[in-house]
Amino acid sequence: MSRRPTSLALSAVGWVGFGAVTLWTAAFLAGVVVPRTADAPVRTTTGRALAVDAALLLLFALQHSLMARRSVKARLARRVPGDLGRATYVLATDLCLVLLLALWQPVQGQVWRLDGPAAVVAWALYAAGWGLAVAATFAVDHLELTGLRQAGWATRPHRSHAGLKEDGLYALVRHPLMTGLLVAFWATPRMGVGHLVLAVAATGYIAIGTAFEERDLRASFGSAYDAYAARVPALVPGLRRGR
């Protein structure tokens, strides 16, 4: 019990960081408010920019993947109190994203530029993507996802813990958070080469992460998940697998 105030404080810091980094990323991709954006003016050579960006993306991928492995979680549990395990993961993710956003090097070149009604549609899709991504965190258990529940900010279990979730956003796609992020990365009226590099890397990481998550869900829910997957597409609403 003596660790409870520390757990509450650190998990709160992680949650605030989660919100701040989400807003920062949205501004970073949109090219507004923040001084450094995905397609800001070029500051170095193309080769050096790509090398730096690749290193930042690799750092995030390694942190996000390795800390999710059971063996790493077991080692971390011997050094970090159990109620801070998820909060530690969130804090580490916050730090890696801050480094990526602060040190990202734009790359020269433009892939596309939309104006007029097409640009309005792109911005609307961009906002919808972020709205879906944020809503998806509440469709399951936002407090658990961000480490607040484990740290003691809520004592009553979330109703979604009863089993496989198939209603709400999950009746449209099996991974609404990933769908929202994909839309947010790609829906833009101005796609520069640097933004494209980030979007491609994010798409690849999401594809790999979703495949591993699907494997775990099938292991947990068996035929129930198979039936759910047969009815509901993974990422694109209305796109179902062929029989």
Side-chain angles (χ1 to χ4, degrees), residues 47-65:
R48 183 173 298 176
L50 289 174
V52 172
D53 295 344
L56 293 170
L57 290 167
L58 180 61
L59 174 64
F60 171 79
L62 288 175
Q63 176 272 320
H64 215 61
S65 301

Side-chain angles (χ1 to χ4, degrees), residues 25-232:
T25 304
F28 176 84
L29 292 174
V32 298
V33 181
V34 294
R36 292 197 173 193
T37 63
D39 292 319
V42 175
R43 294 186 292 271
T44 185
T45 64
T46 298
R48 183 173 298 176
L50 289 174
V52 172
D53 295 344
L56 293 170
L57 290 167
L58 180 61
L59 174 64
F60 171 79
L62 288 175
Q63 176 272 320
H64 215 61
S65 301
L66 292 178
M67 289 189 70
R69 293 178 65 88
R70 292 182 180 179
S71 59
V72 176
K73 287 182 179 180
R75 293 182 182 180
L76 188 63
R78 293 196 289 266
R79 297 172 174 81
V80 177
D83 57 357
L84 277 177
R86 182 64 186 180
T88 302
Y89 180 83
V90 172
L91 284 167
T93 301
D94 290 344
L95 177 59
C96 288
L97 285 175
V98 165
L99 289 174
L100 188 150
L101 296 170
L103 301 179
W104 183 263
Q105 297 297 317
V107 181
Q108 187 175 8
Q110 189 171 73
V111 181
W112 72 68
R113 181 183 179 89
L114 304 177
D115 296 301
V120 173
V121 171
W123 284 124
L125 288 172
Y126 181 76
W130 279 111
L132 175 60
V134 172
T137 70
F138 290 93
V140 280
D141 188 344
H142 179 82
L143 296 183
E144 181 174 301
L145 179 69
T146 55
L148 293 178
R149 184 177 300 281
Q150 298 90 324
W153 283 97
T155 56
R156 299 177 64 179
H158 193 269
R159 60 184 180 181
S160 68
H161 291 174
L164 178 62
K165 186 170 180 61
E166 303 180 45
D167 59 352
L169 294 176
Y170 288 84
L172 300 175
V173 289
R174 302 199 299 276
H175 306 280
L177 173 59
M178 299 302 130
T179 297
L181 291 176
L182 285 172
V183 173
F185 274 105
W186 287 99
T188 175
R190 299 184 300 273
M191 176 66 79
V193 174
H195 191 154
L196 179 65
V197 169
L198 183 57
V200 169
T203 301
Y205 185 79
I206 286 172
I208 295 171
T210 299
F212 279 103
E213 185 177 0
E214 289 272 306
R215 183 190 65 181
D216 293 341
L217 289 168
R218 282 187 165 84
S220 298
F221 298 105
S223 60
Y225 192 81
D226 289 333
Y228 170 57
R231 297 191 313 271
V232 179

